[in-house]
Amino acid sequence: MYKSLNSVIPCLFLLLFSLAPGIATGKPVIVCTVPALGQLAQAVGGHDIEVRVLTGIGQDPNVFSPRPGHARALNDANLLFTVGFGLESGWLPSLIRLSRNKKIVPGSDGYLSGSHAIEAVGVPRGISSAQMRNWSPDKNPYWWLDPEMGLKVAKILAIRLSELDTVNAARYMQRLIELEHAINEALPRWRDYMQIHTSPVITYHNTYVYFMKAMNIELAGFIEPKAGIEPSTRHLGELIKTIHEKQVELIWVEPYNNRAIAKRLADAAGIKMMVLPDAVEGIGLEGYIHMFDIMIERIARWSQ
Amino acid sequence: MILVTVLIATLVIAISLPVLGQRVLERRIVFVDLALAQVAATGYALGMALEIPGVFAAAATTAIAVLFMAFMDEETPLPKEAVMGGVYVFAASVGMVLLSLLPYGEGQLMGLLFGSVLGIGWQGIAELALFSAAGLALALPKHANSFSGRLRFYAGLSLIIVPAIYAIGVLLVFAYLVMPALSVWRRGHNGPAWEALTLAILASVAGTFIADFLDLPPSATVVLTLAGIAVITGTYIHFNNLGPEVIEENSEGDDSQNDDESDASPVDDRIKTNA
């Protein structure tokens, strides 16, 4: 009796685990670490791939706590598409090990990181020498907030997908061209809009540096130059001086960061603080383009 | 401007927390502040999940925790620190599960648990002072070791600690609650409250200005300054053998003399300060 139970229980677990990620569709499974990467993958892969995203909108990918379901989502993945530059280093390696999927380990064909396609941005325009000391360009992972960087990575993704699924290679390349057209068409409009509406800004962390570089927005400083380390009162005093000198009108804060310090600084300097998303709801090409539309519309509204 | 609000905020807690810390230390319930703060934060997350105002949900869960703690007799054979620790890990785990289901939740919950002294403005300072005064009025007067007495004490404690952690962060609150009281602790009992208050105020002023001068994070620098002053004071008290004389408890035949005070805190009754 016990012997038969001993053999049945593992089989049941195996069955449950294999069913959990979803019914097999025969399409290549692409697992993405953040929502915007899921949109980029869907933009290139369309209905020829199955996209799964590990983190949700508004979750801080630096401190994500994976659940067993996330490991199961990687079980049958053909490609793991990551941001890179250390963003997921706190939780992704153990998740890959737990998934026991050898196809997606770093260095294999089933692993693609943004850091394979681009270099992290250098010191942004407008930053002071004091802030430069704390700047680590090689560790800024938020490249998806620059549409041109997103396009560069999408090109590498399209090539990798074509190698994994040769039958649909031409369709991946066709969708890449559509993505390129959409971004090239929208970019001048976004830049013009930002030129009219935006003065230099202060941000909480370095999250929006790629976005600012892409939209030609000047960075006046960071509230927390070293992530996770409380700034000093002297640093905040200097930021208030900078706000007045450079006529800064807005402070941008990520959805998952502590807003109290940013609000206090904004109140002390008599300017506004706004929460800016780093991902929005939406699927594929439309979702990715919509993210920039929403960011720009929100900045313009708060700048008035 | 920000330097001034940081200084005033740390002074408010330097005045309110050390005396309260003495009550906490003598009852051996140091984890109570972490437990209450975590219960409040978890309540806030629950409120977000149920789409009701987070503050009301936090108040409700904190009230439940206070009721639960008030059921525990002060002379209970249970190790009270273990109960507080249990409440803390239970609330933290519930909070973590809720967080995993809520988009945008973690930032708000982290903000609730780990406020920063840099984020507090004049209105926040006024609220902190108001809650501290109300909390002290409830928690400081001697209370009977009865359900209602303990309820008053824990309610006062939560009125001070939960808003303080939300406003200025767990690091400063825990430090001001424990370190000054511990520093003047002598011969197994609390030392004079004025000593704890003095060193806490000194640490607030010195720590805030040192942090600004050296361009360091104010919360951690104030805590380090407080720790430095507390260690020096504690060492001096220890080696100079200063402190209250513990009066031996009355013999059985004298019990009748203390009948009118029989419900007061047993620890308070055993300590008489030297002339």
Side-chain angles (χ1 to χ4, degrees):
Chain A
M1 175 69 179
Y2 283 117
K3 217 170 180 181
S4 60
L5 266 179
N6 281 347
S7 57
V8 167
I9 289 169
C11 288
L12 277 173
F13 270 99
L14 207 66
L15 187 70
L16 277 172
F17 274 53
S18 60
L19 285 175
I23 298 157
T25 55
K27 296 174 183 176
V29 174
I30 317 299
V31 177
C32 308
T33 52
V34 300
L37 265 59
Q39 289 165 341
L40 274 176
Q42 198 78 66
V44 175
H47 55 262
D48 295 317
I49 61 169
E50 182 188 333
V51 174
R52 295 175 194 156
V53 182
L54 297 177
T55 61
I57 291 168
Q59 277 184 317
D60 184 354
N62 285 289
V63 291
F64 178 63
S65 303
R67 298 192 295 268
H70 294 114
R72 290 198 292 273
L74 288 171
N75 274 349
D76 58 343
N78 300 94
L79 183 67
L80 177 58
F81 182 25
T82 73
V83 175
F85 299 108
L87 185 74
E88 306 100 336
S89 60
W91 51 271
L92 191 58
S94 57
L95 204 58
I96 295 172
R97 271 198 305 278
L98 277 172
S99 77
R100 297 181 181 177
N101 183 349
K102 289 199 170 67
K103 286 185 288 185
I104 55 164
V105 294
S108 66
D109 289 343
Y111 181 86
L112 179 66
S113 161
S115 58
H116 295 160
I118 56 164
E119 285 186 8
V121 293
V123 177
R125 188 163 65 94
I127 199 165
S128 71
S129 57
Q131 287 166 338
M132 216 185 300
R133 281 202 303 273
N134 295 321
W135 180 251
S136 47
D138 58 322
K139 286 188 180 156
N140 190 347
Y142 302 94
W143 52 261
W144 71 86
L145 293 172
D146 177 346
E148 288 177 309
M149 290 282 190
L151 187 60
K152 270 187 190 175
V153 177
K155 282 178 183 168
I156 305 291
L157 175 68
I159 293 167
R160 188 67 65 88
L161 282 175
S162 304
E163 290 165 357
L164 282 172
D165 179 19
T166 47
V167 177
N168 294 312
R171 286 144 73 111
Y172 297 137
M173 289 303 169
Q174 179 56 40
R175 288 194 199 99
L176 177 67
I177 292 166
E178 286 167 18
L179 177 68
E180 193 169 12
H181 281 161
I183 288 175
N184 287 340
E185 191 184 80
L187 199 53
R189 172 166 54 86
W190 291 331
R191 281 178 176 154
D192 288 348
Y193 214 64
M194 285 295 92
Q195 284 299 305
I196 298 164
H197 287 96
T198 315
S199 56
V201 295
I202 283 176
T203 64
Y204 200 86
H205 279 156
N206 61 2
T207 310
Y208 302 109
V209 167
Y210 284 94
F211 177 75
M212 295 168 86
K213 198 164 180 276
M215 303 299 163
N216 296 322
I217 299 167
E218 185 177 335
L219 176 71
F222 302 119
I223 291 178
E224 204 177 88
K226 288 182 180 173
I229 309 289
E230 188 183 50
S232 68
T233 45
R234 197 207 289 184
H235 173 70
L236 294 186
E238 283 165 6
L239 277 185
I240 291 175
K241 274 188 213 158
T242 307
I243 287 169
H244 293 138
E245 281 167 14
K246 295 196 170 185
Q247 296 182 322
V248 175
E249 290 172 353
L250 266 182
I251 295 174
W252 296 353
V253 184
E254 300 84 347
Y256 38 78
N257 273 326
N258 188 343
R259 293 163 206 176
I261 302 176
K263 182 79 174 65
R264 174 79 188 104
L265 181 70
D267 288 345
I271 61 171
K272 285 182 272 189
M273 179 211 83
M274 63 170 286
V275 177
L276 198 60
D278 61 358
V280 301
E281 296 284 352
I283 298 166
L285 171 63
E286 280 178 18
Y288 190 62
I289 298 287
H290 187 52
M291 175 178 72
F292 294 105
D293 283 336
I294 284 189
M295 289 174 83
I296 283 157
E297 182 268 329
R298 198 173 289 184
I299 293 163
R301 187 152 43 87
W302 277 84
S303 300
Q304 285 166 6
Chain B
M1 172 92 79
I2 289 175
L3 177 68
V4 178
T5 48
V6 167
L7 178 64
I8 304 293
T10 54
L11 279 173
V12 169
I13 57 159
I15 291 166
S16 60
L17 287 180
V19 189
L20 190 69
Q22 291 192 311
R23 299 288 181 277
V24 166
L25 246 60
E26 72 191 9
R27 284 168 178 78
R28 305 287 201 275
I29 48 168
V30 169
F31 271 138
V32 72
D33 59 333
L34 290 178
L36 285 172
Q38 186 61 57
V39 166
T42 302
Y44 195 88
L46 191 68
M48 289 196 295
L50 300 174
E51 295 183 354
I52 56 173
V55 177
F56 294 127
T61 52
T62 310
I64 292 167
V66 164
L67 279 171
F68 170 74
M69 289 173 183
F71 273 115
M72 193 167 54
D73 193 290
E74 286 186 357
E75 301 299 314
T76 176
L78 278 174
K80 283 181 278 185
E81 284 293 43
V83 176
M84 300 296 167
V87 171
Y88 169 74
V89 292
F90 174 76
S93 303
V94 173
M96 211 175 283
V97 169
L98 285 170
L99 263 189
S100 68
L101 306 172
L102 294 173
Y104 292 91
E106 58 198 347
Q108 290 188 48
L109 195 63
M110 293 309 273
L112 192 63
L113 256 188
F114 302 102
S116 169
V117 71
L118 289 168
I120 194 166
W122 292 112
Q123 190 188 337
I125 289 172
E127 287 167 3
L128 190 64
L130 206 67
F131 277 113
S132 295
L136 286 177
L138 284 175
L140 282 192
K142 278 185 181 176
H143 65 267
N145 186 12
S146 62
F147 177 74
S148 60
R150 293 188 298 266
L151 187 66
R152 176 161 62 79
F153 174 72
Y154 285 115
L157 201 65
S158 62
L159 266 181
I160 301 179
I161 284 174
V162 175
I165 288 181
Y166 177 53
I168 60 169
V170 75
L171 197 65
L172 275 170
V173 170
F174 197 74
Y176 273 96
L177 195 70
V178 173
M179 281 182 181
L182 196 60
S183 173
V184 300
W185 184 264
R186 55 197 76 184
R187 295 181 186 175
H189 299 289
N190 277 319
W194 70 265
E195 284 183 13
L197 270 173
T198 307
L199 70 91
I201 289 169
L202 197 65
S204 284
V205 178
T208 306
F209 284 108
I210 289 170
D212 189 69
F213 183 70
L214 297 177
D215 198 17
L216 293 170
S219 299
T221 311
V222 169
V223 171
L224 285 177
T225 312
L226 179 61
I229 295 172
V231 166
I232 292 166
T233 313
T235 310
Y236 179 79
I237 288 170
H238 180 76
F239 283 106
N240 288 281
N241 210 20
L242 300 173
E245 190 178 306
V246 180
I247 308 297
E248 290 300 320
E249 289 192 33
N250 293 329
S251 63
E252 284 179 20
D254 294 327
D255 276 353
S256 58
Q257 293 173 9
N258 280 343
D259 277 352
D260 57 334
E261 288 179 32
S262 59
D263 58 356
S265 170
V267 182
D268 297 335
D269 293 346
R270 290 164 52 205
I271 304 166
K272 304 278 186 241
T273 312
N274 279 340

